Amino acid sequence: MGKLIDLSGKTIGLLTVIKQVESKKAGRPMWLCQCKCGNITIVSSTNLTKANGTKSCGCLRHKPSSTLIDLTGKVFGKLTVLQRDTVHKYRKVKWICQCECGTIVSVFSSDLRSGKTKSCGCSKFQLKYNLVGQTFGFLLVTEPVSNAQIKSNEIRWKCLCQNCGRTVEVSSYLLRHSNPYGHCKCTRFNKL
């Protein structure tokens, strides 16, 4: 074990070391420190002396960084940045944004600036093929359907059966790639 270096009176970051206190683990000296903000904290020798170690009582996490780029008012895809998110517990900066659809979301700064996040998630469900008004067999497509029970991003369509008048829900893929006469009970078992 190396010789104990006395840190009393030294200033490290915002912390001024007052005195050594009882160690929690043998061989790991602990120091009572006072932060410039006035708080008192106990920090290990290791955390005080390493390059990316403890520099404050924790108050630095709540101060805006001098290198922080203010994104307030900027637009990223469908998202408009309203303000910085100060509630989250992450070390990375997050911003509260409003999507064009009206949804409010909290997004990491890096995801906004890199283009990774461009909406609240509503863009994932944009229609690749708009089938409204098209007819598949007896089925006339009337509108897209969002079904919370379906976990995939697959679009489903509300269709009116022109043979019996029932309304059925059919996936985009099945409408475009399968037998159009097998989607309603009235035609499922009848061979045309």
Side-chain angles (χ1 to χ4, degrees):
M1 180 159 51
K3 186 179 176 187
L4 175 69
I5 299 170
D6 188 7
L7 300 175
S8 300
K10 295 200 180 217
T11 300
I12 299 159
L14 300 181
L15 297 174
T16 301
V17 182
I18 300 170
K19 65 178 183 177
Q20 186 179 0
V21 293
E22 186 178 329
S23 300
K24 292 179 184 177
K25 289 183 180 178
R28 189 165 183 181
M30 303 297 283
W31 300 89
L32 182 70
C33 304
Q34 181 165 16
C35 187
K36 278 192 178 177
C37 72
N39 287 334
I40 301 290
T41 187
I42 296 174
V43 186
S44 71
S45 284
T46 307
N47 285 338
L48 283 170
T49 56
K50 67 182 178 182
N52 60 346
T54 306
K55 302 289 184 242
S56 74
C57 65
C59 64
L60 277 179
R61 279 186 247 150
H62 306 294
K63 278 187 176 180
S65 167
S66 59
T67 60
L68 176 71
I69 298 169
D70 188 4
L71 301 180
T72 306
K74 297 212 180 324
V75 177
F76 299 89
K78 293 185 173 189
L79 297 174
T80 301
V81 180
L82 303 176
Q83 66 188 39
R84 184 170 175 196
D85 185 348
T86 55
V87 176
H88 77 89
K89 305 276 190 260
Y90 304 101
R91 289 188 178 199
K92 291 162 108 185
V93 176
K94 286 186 99 176
W95 297 91
I96 296 173
C97 305
Q98 183 166 16
C99 187
E100 284 178 4
C101 73
T103 304
I104 304 289
V105 290
S106 181
V107 184
F108 285 115
S109 181
S110 56
D111 290 346
L112 287 170
R113 295 175 63 210
S114 69
K116 182 178 177 184
T117 304
K118 296 180 181 177
S119 74
C120 67
C122 64
S123 290
K124 290 180 187 173
F125 303 104
Q126 281 184 327
L127 302 179
K128 188 173 182 181
Y129 304 100
N130 189 352
L131 304 180
V132 173
Q134 293 185 40
T135 303
F136 298 86
F138 290 124
L139 299 180
L140 171 66
V141 180
T142 57
E143 63 182 308
V145 177
S146 61
N147 189 336
Q149 294 175 341
I150 298 170
K151 300 292 182 207
S152 72
N153 292 341
E154 180 184 47
I155 301 291
R156 294 184 65 80
W157 300 89
K158 187 181 281 186
C159 301
L160 174 67
C161 178
Q162 295 175 331
N163 188 43
C164 70
R166 282 191 184 105
T167 301
V168 292
E169 269 185 38
V170 185
S171 75
S172 185
Y173 180 83
L174 288 177
L175 278 173
R176 292 184 302 113
H177 298 290
S178 70
N179 176 2
Y181 295 101
H183 299 300
C184 183
K185 287 181 181 177
C186 74
T187 58
R188 194 169 294 153
F189 301 108
N190 299 334
K191 292 188 178 180
L192 299 174

